[in-house]
């Protein structure tokens, strides 16, 4: 599947009632549905697109095994089901803004890039965004997807409330203020508890951001000034191919204040870029958000890619690992020694920071973290050989993989690294006692003995 099909969202109604399964048109072959990168073909034989909670409840009564499907951004089978996928694509509206509580309530399938402009027009903003604005709110939060910034939690850290439809058809509302324990278990829920229909997010007054880019940061400068470099902006990303003893690009995103000044021509030995850049330097920056220090709205600068364009480089695979920030330099050095192994299958790596949160299944629970992200060539046979080697190098730091990306970590090891897993399993069994939302991914990685 070509990546430009990622933006297509049409589907075809099969003959029968309005609740008959739908066939998604995200690929050209009938009855075939794939994720946005085209590396995974969903196995669920049934597919539904309810438009209201009542329609969702009707579907839930008919479907046995089921799973919510968001923007199809995950690279593994976390959103698949043995029987039915229920898309949230029609749950895509900004519902309300509470100016007193400083929150916005959106439907679960809303994509950040869709409702952010409307939020901005009202004078408000979110604390952060991921590198892609194309992802859905519920899916991003359920998998602990993140942006960057030493003081910025992942996207789920903005959630103050959610509405969940359980396997029994109960509509459950949980809030940070009133249901602390259940709430901390449910926000990064991996789709195991039910189908989220709406979420309430913290907001703040709108702000502008500028992006300043620097090239060819010497490796030694990074090792000597790691924390200073990653704290040099509101959101900072490092891009590297693990070659030539350097970081190829440093993206520094800063809030624009009255006293915000140019960063100058040098950042710890990296030189200021003279033109807009794609994270993969040889590719065109046309699809990237505006750089060169030009101020713009938060939602047009915090992501790396524009909403109206297909992001990144084309067909790809992705993996990502989170390590405690205190061990980031050691982890970087361990990976840097693997450069000759990583490079042949790599497009680019990105390094970002994420502040700690309190969610049971978040990779950043109770620890400020640094994430090492790998965008791979779509060659799973070779990449699958490299991942265990990366995971072995990061094992001393108790690295946790991104739930929505590719990894090979032994499930028993995952169990050791998530101390709240037993409590999460109790919560899943409370909301889904018959295991309707269980699938191959959860059975392997979560319901492990």
């Amino acid at each position: 599947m070509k990546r430009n099909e990622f933006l297509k969202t049409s589907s075809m109604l099969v003959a029968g009632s309005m609740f008959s399964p739908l066939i998604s048109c995200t690929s050209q072959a009938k009855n075939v549905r794939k994720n946005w990168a085209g590396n995974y073909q969903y196995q669920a034989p049934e597919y539904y697109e309810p438009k209201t909670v009542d329609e969702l409840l009707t579907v839930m009564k008919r479907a046995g095994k089921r799973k919510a499907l968001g923007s199809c951004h995950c690279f593994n089978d976390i959103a698949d089901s043995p029987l039915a996928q229920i898309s949230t694509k029609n749950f895509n509206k900004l519902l309300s803004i509470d100016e007193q509580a400083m929150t916005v309530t959106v439907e679960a399938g809303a994509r950040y890039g869709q409702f952010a402009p409307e939020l901005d027009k009202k004078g408000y903003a979110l604390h952060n965004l991921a590198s892609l604005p194309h992802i859905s709110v519920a899916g991003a939060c359920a998998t602990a997807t993140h942006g960057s910034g030493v003081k910025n939690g992942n996207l789920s850290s903005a959630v103050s409330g959610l509405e969940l439809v359980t396997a029994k058809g109960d509509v459950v509302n949980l809030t940070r203020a009133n249901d602390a324990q259940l709430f901390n278990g449910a926000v990064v829920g991996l789709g195991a508890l039910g189908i989220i229909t709406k979420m309430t997010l913290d907001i703040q007054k709108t702000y502008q951001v500028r992006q300043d880019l620097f090239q060819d940061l010497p490796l030694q400068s990074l090792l000597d000034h790691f924390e200073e470099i990653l704290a040099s902006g509101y959101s900072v990303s490092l891009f590297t191919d693990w070659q030539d003893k350097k970081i190829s690009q440093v993206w520094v995103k800063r809030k624009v204040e009255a006293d915000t000044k140019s960063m100058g021509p040098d950042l710890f030995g990296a030189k200021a870029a003279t033109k807009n850049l794609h994270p993969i330097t040889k590719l065109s920056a046309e699809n990237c958000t505006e750089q060169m220090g030009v101020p713009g709205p938060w939602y047009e600068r915090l992501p790396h890619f524009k909403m109206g364009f297909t992001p990144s480089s084309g067909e790809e695979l992705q993996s990502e690992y989170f390590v405690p920030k205190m061990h980031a330099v050691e982890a970087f050095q361990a990976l840097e020694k693997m450069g000759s192994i990583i490079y042949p299958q790599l497009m680019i790596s990105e390094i970002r920071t994420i502040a700690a949160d309190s969610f049971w299944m978040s990779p950043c629970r109770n620890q400020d973290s640094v994430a090492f992200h790998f965008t791979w060539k779509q060659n799973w046979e070779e990449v699958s050989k490299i991942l265990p080697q990366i995971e072995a190098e990061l094992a001393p730091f108790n690295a946790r993989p991104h739930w929505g990306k590719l990894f090979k970590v032994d499930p028993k090891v995952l169990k050791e690294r998530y101390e709240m897993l037993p409590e999460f399993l109790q919560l899943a069994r409370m909301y889904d006692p018959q295991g309707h939302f269980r699938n191959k991914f959860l059975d392997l990685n979560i319901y492990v003995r």
Side-chain angles (χ1 to χ4, degrees):
M1 184 181 76
K2 301 300 183 183
R3 287 286 298 280
N4 59 10
E5 292 186 59
F6 162 71
L7 297 176
K8 295 182 180 179
T9 55
S10 58
S11 59
M12 181 170 61
L13 184 62
V14 176
S17 75
M18 66 181 297
F19 298 116
S20 295
L22 297 173
I23 305 301
S24 170
C25 293
T26 53
S27 72
Q28 295 180 359
K30 189 175 181 180
N31 291 318
V32 172
R33 295 186 308 281
K34 293 185 177 183
N35 64 345
W36 76 310
N39 71 292
Y40 181 78
Q41 179 176 319
Y42 297 113
Q43 301 300 302
E46 297 180 9
Y47 173 78
Y48 300 87
E49 290 181 357
K51 296 180 180 179
T52 66
V53 173
D54 286 343
E55 289 184 10
L56 171 61
L57 291 172
T58 300
V59 171
M60 297 276 271
K61 291 177 182 178
R62 295 185 52 169
K65 290 278 189 177
R66 67 204 76 152
K67 200 72 175 175
L69 180 66
S71 57
C72 303
H73 179 67
C74 290
F75 288 79
N76 55 32
D77 57 350
I78 190 171
D80 209 348
S81 171
L83 181 59
Q85 285 181 311
I86 302 177
S87 172
T88 59
K89 61 174 291 185
N90 293 317
F91 291 78
N92 56 19
K93 301 177 185 64
L94 188 160
L95 298 174
S96 63
I97 296 173
D98 187 330
E99 296 184 348
Q100 184 173 2
M102 289 296 286
T103 60
V104 60
T105 299
V106 298
E107 291 183 313
R111 302 187 185 203
Y112 287 93
Q114 292 175 329
F115 74 86
E118 184 178 354
L119 183 62
D120 182 69
K121 286 180 182 178
K122 300 290 187 180
Y124 299 103
L126 299 175
H127 82 290
N128 209 354
L129 292 172
S131 59
L132 302 179
H134 309 74
I135 56 180
S136 66
V137 172
C141 294
T143 54
T145 296
H146 60 94
S148 189
V150 293
K151 296 181 180 180
N152 297 325
N154 59 32
L155 300 186
S156 62
S157 67
V159 179
S160 64
L162 61 85
E163 181 180 271
L164 176 76
V165 177
T166 71
K168 295 180 181 179
D170 297 329
V171 179
V172 177
N173 285 280
L174 300 174
T175 68
R176 183 197 296 146
N178 299 326
D179 310 283
Q181 281 296 95
L182 294 178
F183 179 81
N184 284 333
V187 174
V188 182
L190 311 179
L193 311 182
I195 296 182
I196 294 174
T197 53
K198 63 183 179 182
M199 303 191 98
T200 299
L201 311 175
D202 295 334
I203 56 176
Q204 56 187 269
K205 293 294 184 181
T206 191
Y207 54 91
Q208 290 206 322
V209 174
R210 58 177 289 168
Q211 293 191 81
D212 294 280
L213 273 60
F214 297 85
Q215 293 182 272
D216 298 330
L217 174 71
L219 175 60
Q220 194 59 49
S221 292
L222 176 67
L223 299 180
D224 292 342
H225 304 281
F226 191 85
E227 292 204 21
E228 294 172 80
I229 292 169
L230 286 170
S232 60
Y234 182 75
S235 170
V236 177
S237 293
L238 310 179
F239 292 97
T240 181
D241 59 7
W242 305 101
Q243 297 292 295
D244 303 323
K245 300 293 182 179
K246 67 181 182 181
I247 298 295
S248 58
Q249 296 180 29
V250 182
W251 290 32
V252 182
K253 303 169 190 269
R254 295 183 293 157
K255 283 187 174 182
V256 178
E257 310 288 355
D259 59 351
T260 301
K261 299 178 182 178
S262 169
M263 296 186 69
D266 181 275
L267 179 70
F268 295 99
K271 302 304 178 184
T274 58
K275 63 178 181 179
N276 285 357
L277 297 173
H278 189 284
I280 304 173
T281 306
K282 66 182 180 180
L283 298 183
S284 168
E286 178 186 7
N287 297 356
C288 297
T289 50
E290 187 65 34
Q291 303 159 14
M292 306 308 295
V294 178
W298 56 279
Y299 67 90
E300 291 184 350
R301 295 295 184 273
L302 291 175
H304 299 334
F305 298 97
K306 300 174 184 175
M307 181 64 186
F309 289 80
T310 301
S312 201
S313 66
E315 295 180 346
E316 64 191 47
L317 304 175
Q318 291 185 10
S319 299
E320 188 170 36
Y321 300 93
F322 301 77
V323 302
K325 185 182 173 186
M326 67 179 70
H327 299 309
V329 172
E330 297 169 87
F332 180 92
Q333 290 174 309
L335 293 171
E336 199 268 336
K337 292 176 183 177
M338 290 186 60
S340 62
I341 298 173
I342 294 171
Y343 178 74
Q345 298 301 324
L346 186 72
M347 291 183 175
I348 199 68
S349 276
E350 182 177 8
I351 301 168
R352 289 175 286 179
T353 55
I354 309 97
D357 60 60
S358 58
F359 304 123
W360 295 353
M361 299 307 293
S362 169
C364 302
R365 181 178 181 270
N366 291 346
Q367 63 181 34
D368 294 335
S369 302
V370 172
F372 294 89
H373 180 277
F374 301 86
T375 298
W376 304 103
K377 297 174 184 176
Q378 202 170 90
N379 185 357
W380 177 238
E381 182 178 356
E382 295 302 321
V383 171
S384 65
K385 298 175 185 177
I386 299 172
L387 295 186
Q389 298 178 66
I390 290 175
E391 292 164 1
E393 290 293 334
L394 297 179
F397 316 114
N398 292 321
R400 299 168 177 172
H402 190 299
W403 291 114
K405 303 190 179 186
L406 298 169
F407 58 89
K408 303 285 283 186
V409 180
D410 188 309
K412 293 182 180 178
V413 173
L414 283 178
K415 183 178 181 180
E416 295 172 357
R417 294 179 186 173
Y418 282 88
E419 62 271 20
M420 295 298 290
L421 179 57
E423 287 81 358
F424 181 75
L425 287 173
Q426 290 180 10
L427 185 64
R429 292 181 177 120
M430 181 177 77
Y431 285 132
D432 184 22
Q434 295 182 314
H436 287 297
F437 292 104
R438 290 178 64 165
N439 62 3
K440 183 178 179 181
F441 180 93
L442 293 178
D443 286 343
L444 174 65
N445 296 298
I446 303 301
Y447 289 90
V448 58
R449 295 183 180 180

